[in-house]
Amino acid sequence: MSSVGGFVRGFPGQFWRRLSLQERLALIFAPLAIGAGVVTVLAIVLLGPPFLDFLRANLPLVRFAVAATAILLMTVPTAFVIIYLELKVIARMNLRVGPNRIGPWGSAMSVVHGLKVLSKEDFAPTGADTTVFTLAPVVTYMASVMTLLVIPFAPGLIGQDLNIGLLYFFAVGGLTVLGLLMAGWSSFNKYSLLGGLRSAAQIISYEIPLTLSVVGVILLAGTMSTNRIVLAQSGSLFDWFVFKQPLAALVFFIAATAEANRTPFDMTEADSEIVAGFATEYSGMRFGFFFFAEYVNVFIVSALAATLFFGGWTAPFNWPLAYNLNWFNPWSLGFFGWAAIVLTVLVIGSEFFAVIVKLLGGREWSAWDAMGLGFLIDLVLVVGVLGLAGFIAFDWVQGIFWFLVKTYAFVFTFVWMRATLPRVRVDQLMGFAWKWLLPASLLNLFVTATAVVLLNR
Amino acid sequence: MPPRRGADRPTSTREKPQAGGQPSTDDPRIILDRQIGADLFEPIPPYPPRTEREGEFYTLADGEMFLNVGPHHPATHGVLRLVVKLSGEQIVDVDPVLGYLHRGVEKICENSDYYHVIDQVDPLEYISSLFQEWAAVLSFEKLMDVTVPRRAEYIRVLSGELLRIASHTLYMGFLALDLGGLTPILYGFIERDEIVEMLAALTGARMLFNYFRIGGVNGDLNHEFMSRLGDWMSRAARQTEASAGLLNENEIFVRRTRGVGILDRATALRFGVTGGNLRAAGVPFDVRRAHPYSVYPELDFNVPTRTEGDSLARYLIRVDEVRESIKIIDQCLHNMPDGPVMARLPRLLRPHPGRAWGACEGPRGMMGVYSISDGSDGPFRFRIHDPSFINMETVPTLLPGNLLADTMAIVASLDPVMGGIDK
Amino acid sequence: MDRTLETRLEARLADHLRGPVYQRHDETEIRIEAGSVPEVLRILHDAVDLRFEILADLAGVDTGEVMQVVYHLWSPLTSDWLRIIADGLSRDDPRVPSATFLWIGAEWLEREAYDMFGIVFEGNRDLRRIFMPPDYTSFPLRKDFLLPDDAARSPGAGVRHVERACAPAALADDPTAGVRRAPAS
């Protein structure tokens, strides 16, 4: 009958028209999700074991892949922390407050910045070479991140212990110049061009004193592997190379400031003359990459300064390196034991603190706010206790702790310099590198080499 | 208001085709029929050069390029466009393009009455707006033969010197900011905020004061103002030394400003530069001493002068001037006479026809007003001579030969305010 | 009010003055012909008993019947401001010799007077508009300036003429015609 046929034919259209947007999306994606889930399970079941065998046969490859991923992932929170640190510290030095609205004491500011750059329109200016324009931030970021592979975070925690570690570091780190030049050239903008050329000239000029000042350290340690350099400083406080190579440390610090394009050497992004230098035409995630790359660079040069001259992950005073918590065997508890502990600690602990907050706070704290704050306090305590336990028990936790303390001390110094110092002019910058730092590092090299030869005789 | 002529009033040109089938001139879609060449965004005007200098400037020699330090720029002290001809990083020539902030103040003042002029003339050098008012009021008082009561004169000097300190503090901060130091500007704003809050207690406004009147000032000193002033005076000298110490001894700052942008004595006189820039070149010309007005003959202060003429000298002169201003404020407070703060004037001000020139020493130089009266309610011609205008005129002479990085060191050290330059 | 200045001026500038020296408050005013501006300024600048070294202002004035150019000078030798009114410029074609030979700072002041009044300063190397856009057709501070008509008639209305990139299509029926060709140079 025509009405049934008509009904059958018209039903899908009518049905579709009556759905809301959410219902329509659910109708499309639910079957797709179920299908994808089925396919995944099948893939794991069928292809899983051969894959695991393959991995087990190539364990170094697995280790490398995990290390590289971990390093890549680590750069993002590090950059977030350093950005927030810079905003807050410079604000305090300027007698201001800095971000304090988003998150507790403004700490979610970086996250919001990240989301903001992600949400911007993605365009390239008229006349720009789009391929190069898009790849420039990628090159800069990857060059920075790749150098993290050879930085020893803790005894046993290093991306890849290359025995030409420092050579690799400077070789790959020099690729940032390429990225900046690409950015400057492809933006079709004279400000960018000037900024890119300035940065290229600056970075190339300062690479020479940078590497020469490090050669002294290499002579003393006898190796280019960063891990072994740290081990060579692991005796006592005065084994650190800063006491044996003070001039090299100073030259390195100054050259590193210039390498990282930080004030007082931030001519390339001098935002009072050339707007934003090479990054003038960049917006959105591309600019976010440059931004990140700069702060990761700060972290890297600080980490390298700490590694080469300040002992890396070694502690300044003798600490009994690992105290065995043998009486506590985590495997004996089993699943339910651990579940019980987690439940107790997290849930009951946060309730406990929530009650205390409510008692002390009184009427201003609603129940939900009190629970939230209680959870936070509980979390901080749990992390603290676990950290302390890890610190005592595992030497790699200690290593990371000391490494981060030293690195962030240098990061703080960089931020401090940015807040206080004005910029050095381009020709004064170049003159300083070629006329002062280069002879100083050469002098240091000769003295060190002579001393090594004489002492070995 | 002149009568509207005819029916052809300007209507919106957006998205509407013009007569003749041409696309609207405001249509943002750019459809290019040629390859994008390197000269797409060159700042070369699309018409043949109008003058000899323009032709000479917009012709590129071998190896030169234009850079448009455009009206949108983080550091040009307002909307200023500098077309810079560069050879690499070295500046060969500069053509400042003005007019982005032109508001027709002189024309508006011709259509206003004498009271309204004081309000209109405030936003000229908005950072130190009492001085434009002072120049206008000096000129009008000469037109109308008005004697200002002594207390009003002292209050004018007091508020003027306070504003001079505020303006110089901001100048120091902006100079440091343009050179890359982030901190001195914020310290400078803290100090300026104190002074500006003081003046707000006195005049009612923080920035465009509208305080001076023909024949006196708008309101007497009040308790709030005096208490803030006393508070500030007890700390002023120490604060000044601290702020100046942030930059005076900073090696990087000194190396970037010493010997940069030297404006020598002869050139400065040929340009007609006045104020701190002229005194840094060695000419001790200060309108308060050379051609005294108000009660400055009774006050004891020095006119700091230096001979080097570079950016550092211009900066140091302003630091010295702040100290001198503190001395003047001190004397004003001690010698403040009693009496009225406004002369008795008719409500409708209709001076006899005549001409008058009044000039005062603002923080940037001599602010002058030439007014012509034709016997009616408002001025027939109201001419403002702004010191920043002449200071900016020296830029095409000072900049060539320096690096692009010195652009800001030089322009910022001349202390331009675009509101005054563009009127 | 400096009486000695009056005598000195009359002595030096006898045949250039077009009227008595007028003094009021702390200003001395003289009137001269437009053509004698360079000589007068040169005498005032160089004479040892006058020495008017600082050019304080250069203004154009439209009196409704004639145009004037008014100079204000300062000298360390007198306590008065000196005002020189170069009078009698016709409103249709006002021309005055430029003062830039003596004070290079007069260049922009004369540009402003040209822009606002249309006074042509002969000898100024750079007499183009300074505040108004380059293709503005009238002179705002003149007394016969009427705003709505002038703005509507100005080809500057709605055209972004600053850089070549955004120029409109030139005289074509095709609305998708391209950027105006560069002027043949």
Side-chain angles (χ1 to χ4, degrees), chain A residues 40-252:
Chain A
T40 314
V41 168
L42 279 176
I44 290 178
V45 164
L46 293 176
L47 299 175
F51 185 61
L52 284 176
D53 287 331
F54 168 74
L55 287 183
R56 229 172 269 134
N58 300 354
L59 216 48
L61 190 68
V62 175
R63 191 195 166 279
F64 175 72
V66 170
T69 315
I71 287 173
L72 258 180
L73 291 177
M74 180 213 89
T75 56
V76 173
T78 309
F80 277 168
V81 167
I82 299 181
I83 292 173
Y84 173 68
L85 191 76
E86 170 162 306
L87 288 173
K88 262 316 219 202
V89 166
I90 292 186
R92 288 289 172 183
M93 287 182 179
N94 288 350
L95 302 178
R96 304 181 277 131
V97 178
N100 65 346
R101 297 269 174 225
I102 311 204
W105 296 290
S107 52
M109 188 72 196
S110 303
V111 176
V112 168
H113 267 321
L115 289 175
K116 175 194 74 170
V117 294
L118 270 175
S119 65
K120 295 220 174 187
E121 184 184 350
D122 177 25
F123 66 94
T126 312
D129 190 346
T130 324
T131 326
V132 177
F133 189 75
T134 314
L135 284 178
V138 176
V139 168
T140 315
Y141 188 68
M142 290 321 289
S144 303
V145 168
M146 275 161 71
T147 57
L148 277 174
L149 205 62
V150 292
I151 302 220
F153 291 92
L157 259 189
I158 180 172
Q160 192 76 4
D161 189 5
L162 303 172
N163 61 355
I164 47 160
L166 275 180
L167 184 63
Y168 166 85
F169 183 95
F170 290 117
V172 170
L175 285 178
T176 45
V177 180
L178 191 63
L180 297 178
L181 269 175
M182 286 164 70
W185 177 258
S186 67
S187 298
F188 201 67
N189 179 339
K190 280 178 204 160
Y191 287 119
S192 308
L193 185 65
L194 278 174
L197 292 175
R198 275 183 184 177
S199 77
Q202 173 183 328
I203 292 186
I204 292 176
S205 309
Y206 277 88
E207 262 179 12
I208 300 182
L210 189 74
T211 43
L212 281 180
S213 63
V214 164
V215 175
V217 168
I218 296 178
L219 282 178
L220 282 180
T223 166
M224 277 200 274
S225 155
T226 46
N227 205 16
R228 269 176 249 150
I229 289 178
V230 173
L231 287 173
Q233 302 176 65
S234 62
S236 67
L237 177 63
F238 292 100
D239 274 338
W240 286 0
F241 285 145
V242 68
F243 298 107
K244 298 183 190 171
Q245 297 258 290
L247 183 59
L250 189 63
V251 169
F252 180 84

Side-chain angles (χ1 to χ4, degrees), chain C residues 85-106:
Chain C
I85 301 183
D87 212 345
L89 280 69
S90 75
R91 295 193 74 230
D92 302 315
D93 185 24
R95 290 184 168 267
V96 163
S98 165
T100 49
F101 67 97
L102 202 50
W103 287 289
I104 191 67

Side-chain angles (χ1 to χ4, degrees), chain A residues 215-216 219-220 245 442-456:
Chain A
V215 175
L219 282 178
L220 282 180
Q245 297 258 290
L442 280 175
L443 174 71
N444 176 65
L445 180 58
F446 284 139
V447 168
T448 310
T450 316
V452 165
V453 164
L454 289 178
L455 288 176
N456 279 350

Side-chain angles (χ1 to χ4, degrees), chain A residues 94 190-191 198 272 419 423, chain B residues 42 66 68 89 178-179 183:
Chain A
N94 288 350
K190 280 178 204 160
Y191 287 119
R198 275 183 184 177
S272 58
R423 238 169 255 135
Chain B
E42 287 293 305
F66 285 120
N68 192 25
E89 279 245 358
D178 285 345
L179 292 179
T183 313

Side-chain angles (χ1 to χ4, degrees), chain B residues 276-297:
Chain B
N277 299 334
L278 184 63
R279 292 193 284 279
V283 179
F285 176 73
D286 184 331
V287 184
R288 299 175 289 179
R289 275 286 147 82
H291 196 93
Y293 54 98
S294 188
V295 290
Y296 281 109

